[in-house]
Amino acid sequence: MGTRIEGHVIITGAAGGLGEAVLDALVSAGATCHVPVRGAVPSTLAGRAGVVPIGSVDLADEASVERLFADLPPLVASIHLVGGYEAKPIAETTREVLDRQLSINLVTTFLSCREAIKALRRSGGGRIVNVGARVSEVPMAGSAAYTAAKGAVAALTRALAEEVRQEGILVNAVAPSIIDTPANRAAMPAANHDRWPKPAELAQAILWLASTENALTSGAIVPVYGRA
């Protein structure tokens, strides 16, 4: 019998390439997954067993995130997948680009973590899983704004793990390299896609971190680089 999660879980960014795989893994593990989306609920989520879609949620807006978590049933885990990548040399990186990268990567994660901790305290404990990136641990040239934002997600994860360590709340992040999604393949057609980590593989790492099988690990930035 594989890893099981019994109870309610929220997954942000579940409509994306990695999100679909994580949602599949969590539903298969027995979780009831609450899935916020920015606009209207897509047909792929509506009516799906084990999935509770929530429309019109802006995860970069403080009030919107507060309302989202306040309306949820008691949680056992909160998984934060929302993020975005924009690569520019530093000389071409405007304040607008930096703000955009900080908003979609750091602000969404910070607000979701803050409200998740409040919710998990009410539940008596649980798990938080964020998504960082390999660049925060192994920097590369040409993406300073993205690297700074994901580095902040890693620092946030470690800081929160220390803050709630005695409360039964474990906080971790996975740090993938380039994920093997159709969008990334289209953007880099000449790359060796076989070496990229697959969404289903990353989903299994996230599933374990979000489950009670993970009884000790907290504050970890788990490298999930595939064969890259």
Side-chain angles (χ1 to χ4, degrees), residues 65 110 138 175 181 185 223:
V65 178
F110 179 91
V138 187
T181 64
R185 285 192 176 220

Side-chain angles (χ1 to χ4, degrees), residues 101-174:
Q101 285 294 282
L102 290 172
S103 179
I104 195 170
N105 291 299
L106 176 60
V107 173
T108 61
T109 303
F110 179 91
L111 293 175
S112 293
C113 280
R114 188 188 71 188
E115 296 309 307
I117 285 172
K118 295 177 185 178
L120 293 173
R121 281 172 171 161
R122 294 192 294 269
S123 301
R127 309 288 182 269
I128 292 174
V129 185
N130 297 323
V131 174
R134 181 181 182 177
V135 294
S136 72
E137 311 302 307
V138 187
M140 65 179 186
S143 58
Y146 175 74
T147 300
K150 285 299 191 181
V153 169
L156 171 67
T157 299
R158 293 179 173 120
L160 292 181
E162 288 302 312
E163 185 169 333
V164 299
R165 187 176 294 277
Q166 304 303 319
E167 300 181 57
I169 301 172
L170 277 59
V171 187
N172 294 286
V174 294

Side-chain angles (χ1 to χ4, degrees), residues 150-224:
K150 285 299 191 181
V153 169
L156 171 67
T157 299
R158 293 179 173 120
L160 292 181
E162 288 302 312
E163 185 169 333
V164 299
R165 187 176 294 277
Q166 304 303 319
E167 300 181 57
I169 301 172
L170 277 59
V171 187
N172 294 286
V174 294
S177 57
I178 301 169
I179 304 172
D180 190 3
T181 64
N184 285 338
R185 285 192 176 220
M188 291 168 275
N192 184 353
H193 307 138
D194 291 340
R195 298 180 66 84
W196 292 353
K198 314 304 177 190
E201 295 171 331
L202 299 178
Q204 289 304 307
I206 291 169
L207 170 62
W208 184 83
L209 287 170
S211 75
T212 55
E213 287 185 13
N214 170 26
L216 296 175
T217 301
S218 193
I221 311 301
V222 181
V224 283

